[in-house]
Amino acid sequence: MSYFNFDNKRVYYTEFGNGTPLLLLHGNTASSNMFAEIAEKYKKNFKVILIDFLGHGKSDRLDKFPADLWFYEAKQTIALLREKQYSKVNIIGSSGGALVAINVALEASELVNKVIADSFEGEKPLKAFTENIEVDRENSKQNENAKAFYLYMHGLDWEQVVDNDTSAIIRHEKEIGKFFHKDLQSFKSDILLTGSKEDEFIGTISPNYFEKVYGELVSKIGHGKINLFETGGHPAMLTNQDSFYQLSMEFFGQ
């Protein structure tokens, strides 16, 4: 297992395959284990890079997650790419990892080639999600399928990871209220925004949520593409895995 140091803690990462570097960024309460199946597809054409953000998976734990969590995770990602001396890396970020991916491209555009940002809420937290998150997370901790997911992602201390994440989301909405530090107009990389119209986190709010929010993002960036899958849940990357894989290979020019 490979680690690099960030903030005096060990961050886990792994690399396999050959070709142009492709970095996969996991979402909230998840780890790089979420990509176990689809990463096997990508390794045929790319050098796949996986990372467990601090406090997740095989990385060192944090007593508390910072409120500006997705920016903090972007700084970890940038540190890894610079330590490995990578440039022009392709990135796929899913759910919270999409927010990280966009932050990486905004803060260190020289390191990034193309970005796919999958299944995320936009520039700002979604109040309908954050105001119910404590109850939703407590319910998830009693759900056998959710518990199995958390255990697979993190191991026996999964509950601490989930509670830390819940706290960070609540504090971020109250204290910060936006995901990106730089204006989207400064985003340089090619970008593809993806999602599922049946996403269980978004669909209950508005059936056209992604069309509206992603359309506004592309307008602000000044370039980019949108692809929404008719079926599948959250995230689209995994619930529409075969279609997503083909779409991403075309986008990356493979």
Side-chain angles (χ1 to χ4, degrees), residues 155-239:
L156 294 176
D157 66 344
W158 62 265
E159 191 166 359
Q160 177 198 355
V161 181
V162 174
D163 290 345
N164 280 346
D165 185 77
T166 302
S167 173
I169 288 173
I170 293 169
R171 285 182 285 115
H172 178 274
E173 199 267 339
K174 291 178 179 177
E175 300 169 14
I176 301 171
K178 60 180 182 178
F179 294 125
F180 313 125
H181 285 211
K182 291 186 176 178
D183 290 337
L184 288 169
Q185 288 87 341
S186 67
F187 193 99
K188 297 178 182 178
S189 305
D190 287 345
I191 186 167
L192 170 64
L193 308 180
T194 60
S196 168
K197 292 182 180 180
E198 295 181 347
D199 189 307
E200 58 269 29
F201 294 110
I202 301 299
T204 55
I205 298 160
S206 167
N208 299 315
Y209 182 87
F210 281 137
E211 286 96 326
K212 179 177 181 294
V213 172
Y214 283 3
E216 291 172 354
L217 288 172
V218 168
S219 178
K220 289 183 179 181
I221 292 171
H223 60 272
K225 298 177 181 178
I226 299 170
N227 188 93
L228 300 178
F229 299 94
E230 293 294 330
T231 59
H234 183 90
M237 177 181 183
L238 300 185
T239 59

Side-chain angles (χ1 to χ4, degrees), residues 71 74-75 77-79 81-82 86-89 91 100-113 115 182 186 188-189:
F71 188 75
K75 291 197 290 184
T77 305
I78 292 168
L81 295 178
R82 286 182 172 155
Y86 286 133
S87 63
K88 298 303 178 185
V89 173
I91 302 178
V100 180
I102 292 172
N103 270 311
V104 170
L106 285 170
E107 300 296 325
S109 61
E110 74 280 3
L111 302 179
V112 180
N113 182 31
V115 173
K182 291 186 176 178
S186 67
K188 297 178 182 178
S189 305

Side-chain angles (χ1 to χ4, degrees), residues 29-37 52 56-58 61 144-158 238:
T29 72
S31 73
S32 61
N33 280 350
M34 71 178 281
F35 301 121
E37 186 175 347
D52 287 345
H56 301 77
K58 299 180 183 69
R61 294 297 184 251
E144 292 304 318
N145 289 333
K147 286 164 64 176
F149 172 83
Y150 295 145
L151 180 64
Y152 175 57
M153 291 297 124
H154 308 292
L156 294 176
D157 66 344
W158 62 265
L238 300 185

Side-chain angles (χ1 to χ4, degrees), residues 34-93:
M34 71 178 281
F35 301 121
E37 186 175 347
I38 199 167
E40 289 297 308
K41 298 177 184 287
Y42 285 120
K43 75 176 186 180
K44 301 170 188 174
N45 296 88
F46 297 98
K47 183 171 188 177
V48 177
I49 309 164
L50 303 178
I51 181 174
D52 287 345
F53 300 127
L54 281 176
H56 301 77
K58 299 180 183 69
S59 290
D60 285 350
R61 294 297 184 251
L62 298 171
D63 294 331
K64 181 179 180 181
F65 289 1
D68 206 358
L69 180 62
W70 303 272
F71 188 75
Y72 184 65
E73 292 172 345
K75 291 197 290 184
Q76 295 170 46
T77 305
I78 292 168
L80 170 61
L81 295 178
R82 286 182 172 155
E83 175 156 318
K84 300 294 294 185
Q85 297 184 335
Y86 286 133
S87 63
K88 298 303 178 185
V89 173
N90 291 320
I91 302 178
I92 303 176

